[in-house]
Amino acid sequence: MQKAYKIRIKGIVQGVGFRPFIYKLAKEEKIKGIVLNDTEGVIIYAEPGSKPMDSFIEKIKKEKPPVSIIDSIEISEKNFEGYKTFSIEKSRLTDRRAAFIPPDISMCADCEEEFFSKADFRHHYPFITCINCGPRFSIIKDIPYDRINTAMDAFPMCSRCRTEYEDPENRRFHSQPNACSRCGPQLTLYDSNKNPIIDKDAGRIAEFTFNKLQNGSIVAIKGTGGYLLAVNAEDDDAIKRLRILKGRAFKPFALMCGAIDTIEDFLHVSEKEKELLLSRERPIVLLRIKKKKVSKLVAPGLTYLGVMLPYIPFQHHIFSLEKDMVLIMTSGNISEEPIAYDDEDAFGRLKNIADYFIAYNREITAPTDDSVMFAIGDEAYFIRRSRSFVPVPFKSVTSKKHLIATGGDIKNSFALAKEDIIILSQYLGDLAAPSGYELFDKMFHHFQHLYDFSPEAVIADMHPGYYTTKIADKLEAEGLKRINVQHHHAHIVSVMEEHKLNDEVIGISFDGTGYGTDGTLWGSEFLISTRRDFLRAAHFDCFPLPGGEKAIYDVWKTGISLLQKAFGNDIPLMSKENNKDIILDMIEKNINSPLACSIGRIFDGTAAILGISRSISAEAEAAMLLEEAAIKGCSEKIKKNAFVIPYSDSNTITVSTSALIKYIVETINKGYTIEETAFMFHASIARTTVEIAGILREKYSVNRIALCGGVFQNKLLLSLIRESLTNNKFDVFINNHAPLNDGSIALGQIAIGKSLL
Ligand code: ZN
Ligand code: ZN
Ligand code: FE
């Protein structure tokens, strides 16, 4: 009998060349029938004759287009229709809208070849794309993902582009951003007063930009998800100027190189790191310096640099003019504000920073920053998850309700859950200023609109002062169910969600600060945790944080507080600090000095005690410099003899912060160098962590560990703890797809929400 099947494929299967792929595959496999898009994904009616379907299905899974992600394939038998050929049919609308929106993807090799081919009609056209590459998330306004629902709506295709668009054999079949210099978006080069200098001529714009960069100019270039500021990375004066104008004294700048060889020439690149650099997502990857090439001002005091390869045609174009050049490519913003992505806004905000602007006349509907990753061995970790990764969904268990989680106020991302997926928004930065609130509100609505989402419950942090908490208050007042989640519980459950862990874990969350259930600021948490609940099993001892959470920039204050706790008012090492007495007084009278047990703050304070940092200009600056010192002071002998910090044998174990600080001071007094002491500090925390984990394993019969929290961005600490836990036969899990820092809070929140509702 003639068999016929209906195959439903869900996932990121639209706008990525799925139908032409199925069309070609069906022809190869001699299958008759049709393929079409509907609002839920792709449907195939397949009539294989008397042959089995296995090889067809296997090939769909194995050979699928590069940008696509298959979430599920359902196969059911249907009536035989007797199709004569295999063809692509018109899209159908269903009443369900379960669209998966593809992320933005770097220029593919085929487009790159055409871009540089003089004979091609898109030679040097900066918006060359095909079904395998180009913008998606950053241009989409609505679903289904058709041209009229994107920012390409403003550009009717010329006949040549349309012919490609309508030809199933063509690489640009139904490629929504398809365009050429005759019909598509164009570049314009402006001076800082928005006077146009060169219009449309991409070749001349690239040369002009290259020359200006060589001469020390700062050029704002509109990229995929917003404006980037480009500066020659070997030009001290230009970088100094950029630092002053951007209000960024310390925070390292990301680099862009034209080729992997250039990167390998001055930075250490492992196989894994190379894979990340060359991946189509093209993230910024943190790499250790091998030899000096770029200015020290790129990342003052640090031996790691963040670097990426070009991902849009215009970046390739500039680097084709000088292959070995290294450019700073940093988000177009002032200090911690959101990236500028709207042209008017960019010209307003970046006017005093950039000497020139390269804009284009297509709207960015959702901004993204460059994603940032690092690798240890074979494992990759996120510091920032944005361009090219968002909005790829996290597959999850089915939720009955539409849930929305607002995340945390630092490095914010929010999350939506519907059916069996969770969507984590792009990195939205710190919600500390009106520009941050505005972007949050805008994206919060944009995502809900795109995913046809009507939230029934909202999940937020416990922190009474967070902007994200106020958003939840508002939604609760509108009648939504509301759940508050403890910050570190959310961190831990984000790991459980990623790794599909359903049983209890020992969650170790080493973090900046998060609001605790007892009103103190937590951040050195060992929580015996399920998805619904937790028990606080251990933490470091609390100390006062003079100035509170907002005073994280004055790390010297934390240093004094830690010394005061260990030694009383007669403090060693920092006794000459000018305003010491004011701080001691604040602590004594308990003025704006909330109690905290955050490891992040212990790192800050220790950096101050060791004289490495006093005041910082960027979050985690002191901790990064302390890590750098420790890398220099690293030795096997110290590692072996690492101090086990004394801890209480009480129901909730408390590790003595004072004993750690006393040990640091003693080490210095014994004549060890700052670097050696910094390493001892890391090694002691690592050793103590593993010892406590061992006690908790016995006490609660749990062998699974979930590591999380921003402090694990410290590569040395992460390696020490991870290695030792693994050697001690723990099953160790950590965020690999969501950021290690507060960028994963919303993922944890929503997973907790799912388990409670
Ligand atoms: Zn392409
Ligand atoms: Zn055209
Ligand atoms: Fe956190």
Side-chain angles (χ1 to χ4, degrees):
M1 209 186 97
Q2 300 275 34
K3 293 261 187 189
Y5 301 91
K6 176 180 169 183
I7 306 165
R8 146 138 337 269
I9 306 178
K10 288 185 185 175
I12 297 186
V13 291
Q14 295 186 3
V16 293
F18 215 87
R19 287 170 305 161
F21 156 72
I22 295 291
Y23 172 84
K24 275 179 208 149
L25 190 61
K27 295 216 149 168
E28 258 172 57
E29 295 281 306
K30 303 201 166 40
I31 287 171
K32 310 271 172 15
I34 55 169
V35 59
L36 57 99
N37 278 343
D38 67 8
T39 24
E40 290 174 63
V42 162
I43 297 185
I44 305 165
Y45 294 152
E47 298 186 346
S50 52
K51 282 200 319 178
M53 292 274 289
D54 309 4
S55 119
F56 183 56
I57 300 295
E58 266 322 294
K59 283 187 177 164
I60 291 177
K61 288 183 190 161
K62 259 201 210 125
E63 295 168 17
K64 65 183 177 58
V67 188
S68 65
I69 294 176
I70 295 177
D71 182 56
S72 64
I73 302 182
E74 286 162 35
I75 306 164
S76 52
E77 287 206 36
K78 66 179 289 295
N79 292 336
F80 182 74
E81 309 268 352
Y83 288 106
K84 296 280 175 291
T85 58
F86 194 92
S87 60
I88 298 176
E89 293 259 299
K90 250 188 101 186
S91 299
R92 275 182 212 163
L93 291 177
T94 60
D95 33 322
R96 284 155 57 97
R97 303 215 302 178
F100 288 77
I101 295 156
D104 304 312
I105 294 296
S106 60
M107 176 159 71
C108 73
D110 291 334
C111 285
E112 187 179 343
E113 201 181 313
E114 291 170 357
F115 182 79
F116 286 114
S117 156
K118 285 208 171 86
D120 196 274
F121 84 106
R122 291 193 182 86
H123 175 61
H124 283 176
Y125 177 58
F127 302 93
I128 183 171
T129 64
C130 72
I131 202 70
N132 298 321
C133 72
R136 302 284 188 279
F137 172 66
S138 63
I139 57 168
I140 193 163
K141 291 179 182 168
D142 201 356
I143 53 162
Y145 174 64
D146 284 331
R147 192 160 172 123
I148 50 158
N149 287 328
T150 72
M152 288 303 290
D153 185 31
F155 304 94
M157 271 181 277
C158 69
S159 59
R160 202 162 175 176
C161 287
R162 178 154 294 281
T163 309
E164 295 171 322
Y165 183 87
E166 285 168 355
D167 174 8
E169 304 276 354
N170 195 289
R171 206 171 88 244
R172 297 191 167 91
F173 176 71
H174 280 227
S175 171
Q176 305 307 349
N178 191 31
C180 72
S181 59
R182 242 191 299 170
C183 63
Q186 297 283 2
L187 293 182
T188 307
L189 172 85
Y190 299 90
D191 68 13
S192 59
N193 291 314
K194 219 186 170 184
N195 299 310
I197 302 175
I198 306 172
D199 194 29
K200 292 181 187 161
D201 189 338
R204 271 180 62 216
I205 293 177
E207 267 165 42
F208 184 97
T209 307
F210 171 72
N211 289 328
K212 289 295 173 189
L213 288 170
Q214 295 305 307
N215 291 325
S217 292
I218 301 172
V219 185
I221 304 173
K222 185 175 177 181
T224 305
Y227 279 82
L228 296 180
L229 293 165
V231 172
N232 179 358
E234 292 165 70
D235 186 336
D236 286 352
D237 292 336
I239 302 170
K240 227 178 267 170
R241 195 157 69 93
L242 179 66
R243 287 214 173 270
I244 293 167
L245 295 172
K246 233 173 108 79
R248 183 155 155 170
F250 166 83
K251 206 173 163 199
F253 287 127
L255 300 175
M256 185 176 278
C257 290
I260 188 79
D261 309 358
T262 317
I263 298 178
E264 286 180 317
D265 180 50
F266 75 107
L267 298 165
H268 292 279
V269 185
S270 70
E271 277 307 306
K272 182 68 190 179
E273 288 161 343
K274 190 167 173 172
E275 181 192 315
L276 295 174
L277 285 164
L278 291 167
S279 68
R280 69 179 76 85
E281 290 85 5
R282 292 283 154 107
I284 295 169
V285 182
L286 299 186
L287 300 172
R288 263 189 59 222
I289 297 175
K290 183 153 83 183
K291 70 175 197 213
K292 183 174 180 319
K293 176 165 175 79
V294 298
S295 163
K296 283 211 164 72
L297 297 172
V298 170
L302 301 181
T303 50
Y304 282 89
L305 297 176
V307 62
M308 63 184 148
L309 288 166
Y311 51 89
I312 54 171
F314 187 68
Q315 292 163 350
H316 283 273
H317 198 159
I318 299 177
F319 280 98
S320 72
L321 302 174
E322 169 64 64
K323 191 177 140 287
D324 291 333
M325 162 173 75
V326 186
L327 294 178
I328 285 178
M329 282 282 185
T330 181
S331 302
N333 56 9
I334 298 171
S335 58
E336 299 296 309
E337 282 180 0
I339 189 169
Y341 66 101
D342 170 84
D343 297 332
E344 280 311 308
D345 179 47
F347 276 97
R349 281 204 281 148
L350 307 178
K351 186 177 170 1
N352 296 323
I353 303 180
D355 303 306
Y356 301 96
F357 285 78
I358 297 166
Y360 58 79
N361 55 342
R362 182 177 65 202
E363 182 196 352
I364 295 174
T365 58
T368 50
D369 290 80
D370 294 314
S371 297
V372 184
M373 304 182 77
F374 69 92
I376 295 177
D378 273 346
E379 273 201 65
Y381 307 96
F382 278 95
I383 290 180
R384 183 195 288 162
R385 182 179 179 270
S386 191
R387 175 181 53 75
S388 290
F389 292 97
V390 173
V392 175
F394 289 79
K395 178 92 174 148
S396 183
V397 293
T398 305
S399 58
K400 288 162 235 133
K401 291 190 162 77
H402 283 194
L403 310 181
I404 194 155
T406 58
D409 268 21
I410 302 193
K411 298 185 169 62
N412 178 269
S413 285
F414 59 84
L416 314 180
K418 72 187 257 186
E419 291 153 27
D420 58 354
I421 58 162
I422 296 173
I423 312 280
L424 191 58
S425 84
Q426 75 271 47
Y427 161 89
L428 295 172
D430 295 350
L431 307 182
S435 56
Y437 307 154
E438 219 171 273
L439 180 63
F440 179 91
D441 293 350
K442 199 166 168 189
M443 287 301 115
F444 205 59
H445 288 113
H446 183 62
F447 271 73
Q448 292 186 54
H449 175 71
L450 284 184
Y451 290 98
D452 196 20
F453 193 83
S454 37
E456 294 156 272
V458 58
I459 305 113
D461 200 272
M462 279 184 170
H463 200 300
Y466 272 3
Y467 180 72
T468 46
T469 313
K470 297 197 178 81
I471 296 292
D473 292 344
K474 214 168 87 192
L475 292 173
E476 189 182 14
E478 286 167 16
L480 266 68
K481 206 170 158 39
R482 157 79 168 271
I483 296 171
N484 285 338
V485 168
Q486 201 280 321
H487 189 91
H488 304 100
H489 187 214
H491 268 299
I492 293 161
V493 178
S494 77
V495 178
M496 298 178 75
E497 176 63 37
E498 259 197 46
H499 294 279
K500 308 283 161 258
L501 307 177
N502 293 312
D503 300 323
E504 243 173 8
V505 300
I506 303 171
I508 304 180
S509 187
F510 285 175
D511 205 22
T513 51
Y515 198 79
T517 52
D518 59 359
T520 65
L521 299 167
W522 294 6
S524 53
E525 307 313 307
F526 294 73
L527 308 182
I528 306 299
S529 182
T530 66
R531 285 170 176 253
R532 304 165 65 94
D533 213 348
F534 68 89
L535 182 146
R536 196 181 191 200
H539 60 89
F540 277 59
D541 206 3
C542 282
F543 53 92
L545 204 56
E549 279 170 284
K550 300 235 160 81
I552 60 165
Y553 294 100
D554 293 324
V555 295
W556 64 274
K557 294 181 184 169
T558 313
I560 287 180
S561 173
L562 289 170
L563 289 170
Q564 196 276 342
K565 188 173 167 72
F567 296 96
N569 279 359
D570 194 13
I571 61 168
L573 295 180
M574 292 184 76
S575 60
K576 298 227 161 62
E577 181 62 53
N578 280 341
N579 296 316
K580 172 195 75 173
D581 293 333
I582 301 174
I583 300 305
L584 291 176
D585 203 45
M586 267 177 91
I587 293 168
E588 196 173 293
K589 297 191 178 131
N590 190 20
I591 302 165
N592 190 20
S593 299
L595 290 176
C597 68
S598 145
I599 294 249
R601 297 295 89 85
I602 296 176
F603 268 80
D604 286 352
T606 302
I609 293 169
L610 295 181
I612 291 169
S613 286
R614 187 177 180 278
S615 289
I616 57 172
S617 62
E619 196 219 348
E621 174 179 332
M624 282 161 89
L625 294 173
L626 188 64
E627 180 191 0
E628 284 290 345
I631 292 170
K632 292 194 190 96
C634 170
S635 81
E636 274 308 309
K637 191 171 156 232
I638 297 176
K639 197 163 139 187
K640 248 187 248 139
N641 298 325
F643 174 67
V644 178
I645 310 164
Y647 48 85
S648 75
D649 195 17
S650 44
N651 210 0
T652 303
I653 297 170
T654 48
V655 182
S656 172
T657 307
S658 294
L660 173 62
I661 299 303
K662 279 185 183 149
Y663 167 70
I664 294 303
V665 173
E666 259 167 47
T667 308
I668 284 287
N669 288 342
K670 277 186 197 153
Y672 284 94
T673 64
I674 301 288
E675 285 77 17
E676 285 165 335
T677 312
F679 181 69
M680 286 185 199
F681 170 82
H682 280 75
S684 305
I685 291 180
R687 180 150 178 212
T688 310
T689 301
V690 177
E691 183 156 324
I692 304 248
I695 296 172
L696 300 181
R697 166 160 67 185
E698 293 302 312
K699 194 165 162 188
Y700 298 99
S701 311
V702 182
N703 197 45
R704 282 170 305 275
I705 303 252
L707 296 180
C708 53
V711 171
F712 284 111
Q713 292 171 122
N714 181 318
K715 293 171 279 302
L716 175 62
L717 188 74
L718 174 56
S719 320
L720 288 172
I721 291 182
R722 217 190 151 143
E723 188 188 281
S724 179
L725 285 172
T726 311
N727 289 343
N728 282 283
K729 307 269 182 301
F730 284 98
D731 297 324
V732 186
F733 301 91
I734 185 164
N735 293 113
N736 293 111
H737 298 281
L740 295 170
N741 54 47
D742 284 4
S744 61
I745 287 293
L747 179 63
Q749 288 174 343
I750 216 149
I752 293 168
K754 277 186 158 200
S755 69
L756 290 174
L757 291 168

